[in-house]
């Protein structure tokens, strides 16, 4: 992964981790926190799905770097450098992002994680409210970009997937299916998974990593 990214997760940018449930997105985020804090400094973990586990964080650290974190006191110190925010609404998430400046400075934060960006947005907004949802997501992304660029740190955001359909087109439509003449979705249309939250959000992301389960899970 470091080789593919030409040196690791890029600083001053937003890195999105996308995958279906059980693909390992939260584990990836926890491992990223461990790597960011390994040589000192802190991290911020914004938890929207109540999946953060300090025990799992320490287990990852102990397994990955046994020479450094085999001692319980070293594990406790590591966990203590991870500041966790549990948020339950999109507005609360935006307010937390706006309040992080001093925390980043005081705790020497090297990375911010949001796990996940899609959970609250998809739960709070119906299809009729997509415009309001995209507007709020844009504000969240703007604040994350400000933090990433101001403090030269990476921000890792996990995202869910959604199902799209590659519809068959009629004789009057091209195979690309432009927005004005896209074919009608039929029962035999091919479906595929793609990152949730739409194109507006995708343009806010600098790097997208897609996690998939291989043979045997």
């Amino acid at each position: 992964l470091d080789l593919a990214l030409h040196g690791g997760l890029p600083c001053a940018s937003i890195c999105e981790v996308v995958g279906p449930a059980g693909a390992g997105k939260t584990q990836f985020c926890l491992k990223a926190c461990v790597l960011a804090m390994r040589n000192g400094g802190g991290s911020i973990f914004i938890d929207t799905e109540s999946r953060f586990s300090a025990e799992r964080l320490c287990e990852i650290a102990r397994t990955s770097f046994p020479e450094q974190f085999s001692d319980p006191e070293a594990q406790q110190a590591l966990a203590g450098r991870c500041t966790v925010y549990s948020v339950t609404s999109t507005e609360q998430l935006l307010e937390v992002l706006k309040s992080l400046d001093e925390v980043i400075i005081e705790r020497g934060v090297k990375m911010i994680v949001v796990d996940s960006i899609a959970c609250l947005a998809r739960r709070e907004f119906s299809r009729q409210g997509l415009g309001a949802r995209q507007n709020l997501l844009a504000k969240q992304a703007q604040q994350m970009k400000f933090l990433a660029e101001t403090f030269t740190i990476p921000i890792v955001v996990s995202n869910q997937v959604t199902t799209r359909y590659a519809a068959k087109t009629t004789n009057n439509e091209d195979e690309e299916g432009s927005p004005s003449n896209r074919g009608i979705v039929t029962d035999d249309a091919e479906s595929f998974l793609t990152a949730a939250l739409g194109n507006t959000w995708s343009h806010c992301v600098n790097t997208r990593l897609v996690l998939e389960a291989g043979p045997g899970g």
Side-chain angles (χ1 to χ4, degrees), residues 165-170 173-174 176-185:
Y165 292 92
K168 290 188 175 182
T169 58
T170 66
E173 297 167 345
D174 57 54
E176 293 292 329
S178 66
S180 60
N181 61 359
R182 186 169 297 145
I184 299 174
V185 176

Side-chain angles (χ1 to χ4, degrees), residues 83-109:
T83 304
V84 181
Y85 293 86
S86 296
V87 300
T88 57
S89 71
T90 52
E91 287 290 349
Q92 184 186 10
L93 174 57
L94 181 58
E95 290 305 311
V96 167
L97 290 170
K98 290 180 177 180
S99 71
L100 294 181
D101 303 58
E102 292 185 3
V103 178
I104 294 172
I105 296 172
E106 292 173 356
R107 308 211 62 174
V109 169

Side-chain angles (χ1 to χ4, degrees), residues 1-2 5 7-13 15 17 28 32 35 111 154 156 207 209:
L1 183 58
D2 286 341
L5 294 176
L9 297 177
C11 293
S13 66
C15 177
V17 182
F28 182 97
L35 292 170
M111 176 180 292
V156 178
T207 305
L209 304 177

Side-chain angles (χ1 to χ4, degrees), residues 6-137:
H6 303 286
L9 297 177
C11 293
S13 66
I14 299 175
C15 177
E16 181 189 58
V17 182
V18 181
K25 298 186 295 295
T26 297
Q27 304 304 315
F28 182 97
C29 291
L30 291 171
K31 180 63 176 289
C33 283
V34 170
L35 292 170
M37 298 187 295
R38 181 186 178 191
N39 296 317
S43 67
I44 293 174
F45 196 105
I46 302 176
D47 185 11
T48 69
E49 297 185 322
S50 300
R51 290 188 175 180
F52 177 82
S53 169
E55 292 79 8
R56 180 60 179 146
L57 182 77
C58 293
E59 181 183 1
I60 290 173
R62 184 177 66 252
T63 302
S64 302
F65 308 105
E67 73 288 350
Q68 191 172 356
F69 296 110
S70 58
D71 182 43
E73 290 186 3
Q75 297 171 31
Q76 186 176 3
L78 179 78
R81 297 200 302 274
C82 183
T83 304
V84 181
Y85 293 86
S86 296
V87 300
T88 57
S89 71
T90 52
E91 287 290 349
Q92 184 186 10
L93 174 57
L94 181 58
E95 290 305 311
V96 167
L97 290 170
K98 290 180 177 180
S99 71
L100 294 181
D101 303 58
E102 292 185 3
V103 178
I104 294 172
I105 296 172
E106 292 173 356
R107 308 211 62 174
V109 169
K110 304 298 185 183
M111 176 180 292
I112 297 174
V113 168
V114 180
D115 185 30
S116 74
I117 193 68
C119 174
L120 301 176
R122 299 179 86 181
R123 185 172 65 199
E124 291 182 20
F125 295 92
S126 64
R127 295 188 66 85
Q128 289 71 29
L130 288 181
R133 186 185 80 173
Q134 298 304 85
N135 183 49
L136 187 56
L137 284 169

